[in-house]
């Protein structure tokens, strides 16, 4: 079941809904699966759902479990202040790695909710032995997810399709060395998506020292703490992808490419591998350049249209003032007077519109030119893929 990033967020929001065993979970018209486990562990604070792509009976057999091939785990964020009070010390360890190096936080202050969340994921992986997994979490649920995936074994990591963790503090510095190495090795599977305008997000001093690949969104200000935290500032493109800050978008693409390069190079890079990596790099750069140009030109066009509106408003205001000062004059006399000082609609509006529309046309042409460049690069890569099936199979990994 392929979901775009906007749909993934819609799925993550389901963690705050109330479901019972057997309930179907939809994102739009897409059936994700059925609720097979509901965890409301008041003694640890964990609230989560385990969703399987196959509907299970109330008393499933081992055969029923084996028939499940896709599982989604949703970790709910905080619903009370008590949730944060019981877990915040571990999150604040991210601010003080020197203190954390003593092992105080890791050995003694792992919140029960984090241990419980890992147990939920671990037990589900053992129970649904043929399934691939996706993990979602928001806020405190993001911290649950970070800790849960950090504890997975190498064998379990191979069955993790992806972890999508939103708006939670970074717990990387609070992990053991082994857990740090685990999440660093599997950065390309774990996505830590954050809005820098959200006050709940902290501990992200260095994106390399974080659980997974950090995605900094290009957010709008909601002027409301709750809305900002609950995905309110997120913006999307026409394909449902989250808009990231431009430098982060390119950084993520190249990071994942380098990780894939390391994976391929373990067996020695073949000619096909080298062509693939070059082609993938070209596509990533082309996409990011196009995105940057589109956003820059759209912003410029918006400003230019604003100048046109200001010119029209200025002409209206000039006529209004002239009428106020020449109340005994006819409309023609007022216009003739303005014309004598070169205050005409042609000077105030028409010439301004012509000037800025010319700039708008050039900006749109720049967008079109870069779109053509990006399209031609992709066509060149596609032509190569059509003649090299091995390369085509590798390219689908990106």
């Amino acid at each position: 079941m392929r979901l775009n990033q906007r749909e993934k967020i819609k799925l993550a929001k389901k963690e705050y809904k109330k479901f019972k065993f057997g309930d179907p979970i939809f994102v739009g018209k897409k059936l994700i699966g059925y609720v097979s486990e509901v965890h409301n562990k008041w003694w640890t604070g964990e609230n989560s759902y385990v969703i399987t792509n196959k509907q299970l009976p109330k008393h499933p057999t081992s055969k029923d479990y084996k028939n499940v091939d896709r599982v989604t785990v949703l970790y709910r964020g905080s619903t009370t202040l008590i949730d944060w009070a019981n877990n915040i010390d571990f999150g604040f360890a991210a601010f003080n790695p020197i203190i954390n190096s003593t092992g105080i936080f890791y050995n003694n202050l792992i919140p029960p909710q984090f241990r419980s969340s890992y147990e939920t994921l671990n037990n589900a992986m053992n129970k649904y032995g043929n399934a691939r997994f996706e993990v979602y979490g928001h806020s405190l649920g993001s911290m649950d997810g970070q800790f849960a995936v950090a504890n997975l074994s190498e064998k379990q990591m191979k069955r993790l399709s992806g972890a999508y963790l939103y708006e939670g503090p970074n717990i990387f510095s609070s992990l053991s060395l082994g857990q740090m190495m685990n999440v660093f090795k599997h950065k390309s599977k774990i996505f830590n998506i954050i809005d820098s305008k959200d006050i709940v997000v902290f501990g992200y001093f260095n994106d390399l020292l974080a659980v997974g690949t950090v995605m900094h969104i290009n957010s709008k200000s909601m002027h409301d703490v709750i809305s900002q935290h609950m995905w309110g500032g997120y913006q999307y493109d026409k394909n449902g992808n989250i808009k990231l800050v431009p430098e982060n978008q390119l950084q993520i693409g190249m990071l994942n490419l380098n990780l894939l390069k390391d994976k391929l190079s373990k067996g020695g890079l073949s000619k096909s591998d080298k062509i693939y990596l070059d082609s993938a790099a070209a596509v990533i750069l082309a996409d990011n350049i196009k995105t940057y140009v589109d956003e820059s030109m759209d912003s410029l066009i918006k400003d230019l249209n604003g100048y046109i509106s200001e010119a029209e408003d200025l002409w209206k205001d000039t006529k209004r003032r002239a009428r106020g000062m020449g109340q005994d004059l006819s409309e023609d006399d007022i216009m003739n007077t303005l014309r004598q000082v070169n205050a005409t609609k042609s000077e105030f509006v028409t010439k301004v519109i012509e000037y800025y529309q010319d700039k708008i046309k050039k900006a749109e042409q720049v967008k079109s030119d870069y779109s053509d460049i990006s399209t031609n690069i992709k066509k060149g890569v596609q032509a190569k893929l059509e003649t090299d099936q091995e390369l085509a199979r590798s390219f689908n990994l990106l």
Side-chain angles (χ1 to χ4, degrees):
M1 177 66 65
R2 292 186 65 86
L3 301 176
N4 63 36
Q5 291 174 344
R6 190 169 201 162
E7 290 171 327
K8 288 181 186 297
I9 289 174
K10 289 181 179 179
L11 176 55
K13 288 180 178 179
K14 303 286 186 185
E15 66 199 45
Y16 291 104
K17 303 291 185 181
K18 289 187 177 181
F19 297 109
K20 61 183 183 298
F21 176 85
D23 283 348
I25 304 297
F26 287 89
V27 172
K29 294 182 179 180
K30 296 178 180 179
L31 176 63
I32 305 303
Y34 303 87
V35 176
S36 294
E37 298 178 29
V38 179
H39 297 285
N40 293 315
K41 302 178 182 178
W42 59 266
W43 57 97
T44 69
E46 180 204 346
N47 293 282
S48 61
Y49 294 114
V50 176
I51 301 165
T52 57
N53 68 315
K54 304 288 176 65
Q55 189 167 21
L56 298 178
K58 284 190 176 181
H59 302 288
T61 64
S62 59
K63 183 179 180 181
D64 293 321
Y65 294 140
K66 289 179 180 178
N67 287 334
V68 173
D69 51 36
R70 191 177 69 251
V71 174
T72 304
V73 179
L74 304 181
Y75 291 112
R76 185 185 305 169
S78 56
T79 52
T80 67
L81 291 177
I82 294 175
D83 287 340
W84 278 109
N86 290 337
N87 296 279
I88 199 64
D89 285 342
F90 196 77
F92 272 124
F95 275 123
N96 203 330
I98 296 176
I99 292 177
N100 183 55
S101 66
T102 64
I104 294 174
F105 279 102
Y106 181 71
N107 292 324
N108 299 321
L109 289 180
I110 299 177
Q113 182 166 329
F114 289 6
R115 293 184 188 273
S116 175
S117 297
Y118 162 64
E119 289 168 2
T120 293
L121 181 58
N122 182 56
N123 291 341
M125 282 199 153
N126 291 334
K127 183 183 296 183
Y128 310 103
N130 294 327
R132 296 191 63 80
F133 280 70
E134 285 192 351
V135 174
Y136 292 79
H138 174 261
S139 190
L140 185 54
S142 166
M143 297 170 75
D144 292 343
Q146 290 177 58
F147 189 81
V149 298
N151 281 277
L152 294 179
S153 68
E154 185 63 26
K155 185 176 180 181
Q156 289 173 324
M157 274 292 189
K158 291 179 180 178
R159 295 169 55 206
L160 180 69
S161 297
Y164 306 93
L165 310 169
Y166 305 91
E167 304 306 312
N170 176 23
I171 71 168
F172 183 83
S173 294
S174 305
L175 300 176
S176 69
L177 180 59
Q179 292 166 336
M180 289 180 180
M181 295 299 291
N182 196 23
V183 294
F184 187 82
K185 182 179 180 181
H186 297 283
K187 267 184 175 292
S188 61
K189 288 188 171 187
I190 308 165
F191 300 94
N192 210 324
I193 303 134
I194 59 172
D195 176 0
S196 61
K197 296 183 178 71
D198 180 3
I199 63 171
V200 173
V201 172
F202 58 80
Y204 295 91
F205 305 113
N206 183 332
D207 287 354
L208 290 176
L209 304 179
V211 178
T213 299
V214 182
M215 300 174 65
H216 296 270
I217 73 163
N218 188 3
S219 65
K220 58 185 177 183
S221 180
M222 299 303 294
H223 306 292
D224 172 30
V225 172
I226 301 299
S227 296
Q228 200 79 50
H229 182 54
M230 299 302 292
W231 294 283
Y234 281 51
Q235 302 182 92
Y236 309 89
D237 64 19
K238 62 183 180 181
N239 297 316
N241 296 312
I242 299 170
K243 289 187 176 182
L244 304 177
V245 294
E247 59 271 21
N248 186 228
Q249 190 166 338
L250 178 59
Q251 178 186 10
I252 289 170
M254 298 311 292
L255 170 64
N256 288 336
L257 186 60
N258 285 331
L259 290 169
L260 189 56
K261 179 181 178 181
D262 291 341
K263 181 179 179 180
L264 291 173
S265 63
K266 288 179 180 179
L269 287 174
S270 66
K271 181 180 178 181
S272 181
D273 288 338
K274 292 176 181 177
I275 295 173
Y276 156 62
L277 291 168
D278 287 343
S279 301
V283 170
I284 290 170
L285 287 169
D287 279 343
N288 280 275
I289 291 172
K290 181 180 180 299
T291 298
Y292 178 75
V293 170
D294 282 351
E295 291 179 353
S296 298
M297 292 301 103
D298 285 344
S299 177
L300 176 59
I301 290 170
K302 181 180 179 181
D303 289 342
L304 294 174
N305 281 319
Y307 299 151
I308 290 173
S309 295
E310 288 175 5
E312 292 172 337
D313 291 341
L314 179 59
W315 173 239
K316 291 176 182 177
D317 186 59
T318 299
K319 290 191 295 181
R320 180 183 61 79
R321 289 173 179 270
R323 292 187 185 107
M325 291 185 290
Q327 295 180 4
D328 296 331
L329 298 176
S330 67
E331 185 71 12
D332 287 342
D333 289 338
I334 291 173
M335 291 299 104
N336 286 331
T337 302
L338 289 173
R339 194 176 299 114
Q340 290 175 18
V341 293
N342 209 29
T344 65
K345 184 175 182 180
S346 175
E347 292 294 329
F348 272 65
V349 180
T350 307
K351 290 183 178 181
V352 172
I353 289 176
E354 290 175 353
Y355 176 80
Y356 285 122
Q357 282 184 339
D358 180 62
K359 300 295 183 186
I360 290 172
K361 185 181 294 185
K362 289 179 179 178
E364 289 174 340
Q365 186 61 50
V366 170
K367 282 182 62 178
S368 177
D369 289 345
Y370 274 91
S371 179
D372 290 343
I373 292 171
S374 176
T375 299
N376 289 336
I377 289 173
K378 291 180 180 179
K379 283 182 178 178
V381 172
Q382 185 61 38
K384 181 62 183 174
L385 294 179
E386 289 173 357
T387 61
D388 189 332
Q389 292 303 308
E390 179 186 352
L391 178 62
R393 284 191 293 273
S394 296
F395 208 83
N396 285 331
L397 295 174
L398 191 65

